[in-house]
Amino acid sequence: MRRIATALSLLLASTACTTVPSEGGSMRAGEPMVSPILTGADAVDSMTYAQPQVARVTHVDLDLALDFDRKRVTGVANLDILARPDAGAIVLDSNGLEIVGVRDGAGNPLAWKLGDTVSEGGKGAPLTITMGNAREVQIQYASAPDAEALQWLTPEQTAGGEYPYLFSQGQAILNRTWIPTQDSPGIRQTWAARITAPKPLDVVMSGVRQGEPEDLGNGRRAFRFVMDKPVPPYLIAIAAGDIDFAAIGPRTGVWAEPSTLARARAEVGDTEEMVEAAEELYGDYRWGRYDMIVLPPSFPYGGMENPVMTFLTPTFIAGDRSNNGLVAHELAHSWSGNLVTNAVWEDSWLNEGVTSYFENRIVEAVYGKKRAEQEAALSFANIEETLAEVGMNAPGTALHHSTDGAEIGSAITYDKGHFFLRTVESIAGRERFDAWLRQWFDNHAFQPATSQLFYDDMMANLVRNDAEAEQLALREWIFQPGLPSNVARPDPAAFAEVDSAVQAYAASSSIPVVYNGWTSAERMRFLDNIPKERSAAQLSELDRQLGLSTTQNNEILFLWLELALANRYEPAVPQAEQFLARVGRAKFVRPLFQVLWSEGEWGRPIAKRIYAKTRPSYHAVTRGAVDRVLGMTS
């Protein structure tokens, strides 16, 4: 256990004054890093019970056992606390945790109380510990079998079919279902862990592994990990299963189930080059190693940027690295999101929008300008489609918006954020903009940030004069809905050939013979823009000539199934059923169920039949999304 002996002023840093004496927040050489807390009104996190201005967690030390039979983690969380001298209690976040007991660092019992649970939004219940003068707290606990952050897979749900599997997904506030801490992105914490698991399973975490596993002699092994840089708690992640490792470069590699490893290694073979490109753009990679793990297909997202161990869906594997923008995106999070993090989820564009811009720059550096422009054009199309659907004045279309705005989807948080920075770059010039963004990462490293802080930094360190400020329209971009008129639109030439083919198909159903020579982005552009109402004969001909139902690219397969189901194309139903049974990625699963549900008396029985079979195999994130589509209350 490590004590934090640092200035109390770090606890009460204001929004306008977030710098710390040295990089990352350490006060003196050898001290653990301690990040500041932002206390401005725009940095108050409504999704946490914590009161960090009074008492905050600075370090978490976990000693946990993985119980695959009961689907629980059990053990002890040791917390280091920084508090005001008059603070007698600390408030933590908890959701479904079974608290066995609480003690101070010397082993003395401490009084604690678990408050009422707020089920809406997964906020859970406050865990209040009366700590007196103690600044170390030990919590003995167990997670619930249905902890939303954890997915326990049976052997039958894995590629190997012989051993069980576990993985976690913490963003946004799910880690409070397996770790008792202050679960807020603005309360950064260092952490360490000792995890025991049954042999022969391997365990990886979003921290640096310490040595080789220890054989405990009882059919179990212990694995140790350290994250010595303060991170937001949602980035503490774990995976355990029958997994092997393959190196890519001197600091990069990938984990996967043995039967998946070769394909995964081939798909992410450009990763070392991507890291080098990212460093050339915006400074050193500060986390040591950059490893990845390709999880079973029930993982609910494309990727999750857990430090030193990015979690990836196997659905991105296409055999030609055409979906590697996903890898570039998660890598870019090592700067935007992990290094500098939104203090509250209302500002999640600071993570995702900045990262989406950075991703595109990495793609340009590694794969060329044409591919980057095409992927940017697909991104811009998402913005246009969303704004056409919800309206230019919808409040959730501002970059800084309430958490309710998350229902609008990724087009704002990811894509509008991307085009905001793309627009600023086009006006300020790439060289000046890159210098500004690099200093943003450097000067706010290992710290939380808000939209106002980002705006203020731009005004202070990028904008030259009032005329340029007016031209940039920064406040309009960040705080107002819709799409500002100064947006730097993608080059229309990026998809000129494809758009011409779309027009020809719309006019005469002529299918482009050059389709097989197109890039993945070009194929996606074509499928996403052809007329939506198609006859069975037209769909059959599309499939016959383009091989849509046999593609190995899941992004294209999804677009095909979406189009086919929307037209009640019976031959696609068995394939959709197979796809929904093997894939748990919410990006694919939710829209397909939405299409079926919207098709009324034809589609709803199909949706109910498929979901009755597939629901148990989905992560809680995906289940929740589909439950809402189908109107299920439990």
Side-chain angles (χ1 to χ4, degrees), residues 17-259:
C17 181
T18 62
T19 55
V20 288
S22 61
E23 178 182 287
S26 181
M27 293 292 290
R28 291 182 294 272
E31 277 195 359
M33 288 186 185
V34 179
S35 295
I37 297 291
L38 304 185
T39 59
D42 61 339
V44 176
D45 183 3
S46 63
M47 299 306 294
T48 182
Y49 292 104
Q51 301 170 9
Q53 302 92 338
V54 177
R56 60 168 293 196
V57 176
T58 59
H59 180 77
V60 178
D61 203 323
L62 301 171
D63 193 343
L64 301 175
L66 307 184
D67 187 336
F68 284 86
D69 292 331
R70 297 193 300 161
K71 298 181 179 179
R72 296 161 67 109
V73 298
T74 60
V76 176
N78 299 282
L79 310 181
D80 288 356
I81 297 165
L82 181 62
R84 292 191 323 214
D86 61 344
I90 185 169
V91 184
L92 309 177
D93 294 302
S94 169
N95 190 0
L97 297 178
E98 177 188 334
I99 307 300
V100 178
V102 181
R103 298 179 179 274
D104 65 16
N108 302 307
L110 296 175
W112 58 275
K113 178 183 178 181
L114 200 57
D116 295 335
T117 296
V118 174
S119 57
E120 184 177 357
K123 190 172 181 179
L127 173 59
T128 303
I129 299 171
T130 303
M131 60 183 183
N133 294 324
R135 294 299 181 262
E136 296 178 7
V137 171
Q138 301 175 354
I139 305 169
Q140 186 177 0
Y141 73 100
S143 66
D146 59 352
E148 287 188 300
L150 304 176
Q151 184 161 19
W152 304 85
L153 304 180
T154 64
E156 294 74 23
Q157 292 174 293
T158 67
E162 187 174 357
Y163 300 103
Y165 203 108
L166 164 70
F167 66 80
S168 69
Q169 171 55 42
Q171 192 178 17
I173 60 169
L174 299 183
N175 268 359
R176 63 190 67 184
T177 65
W178 75 288
I179 302 172
T181 188
Q182 293 175 320
D183 190 13
S184 171
I187 310 175
R188 301 177 72 106
Q189 303 153 31
T190 56
W191 62 270
R194 176 183 180 271
I195 308 293
T196 70
K199 296 168 65 175
L201 303 188
D202 270 306
V203 178
V204 297
M205 291 190 76
S206 53
V208 179
R209 182 185 282 194
Q210 304 297 293
E212 294 299 314
E214 176 189 1
D215 194 323
L216 302 178
N218 59 354
R220 298 181 70 86
R221 295 189 295 173
F223 300 77
R224 295 179 183 273
F225 305 89
V226 168
M227 174 49 66
D228 63 354
K229 300 171 179 63
V231 297
Y234 70 84
L235 291 178
I236 304 176
I238 189 170
D242 178 20
I243 51 177
D244 289 336
F245 176 77
I248 298 169
R251 55 181 165 174
T252 53
V254 62
W255 292 82
E257 292 187 73
S259 62

Side-chain angles (χ1 to χ4, degrees), residues 14 57 93 122 197 207 245 279 319 380 412 417 456 461 521 536 583 594:
S14 70
V57 176
D93 294 302
F245 176 77
E279 289 186 314
F380 190 73
I412 302 304
D456 291 342
N461 298 314
V583 169
Q594 180 71 68

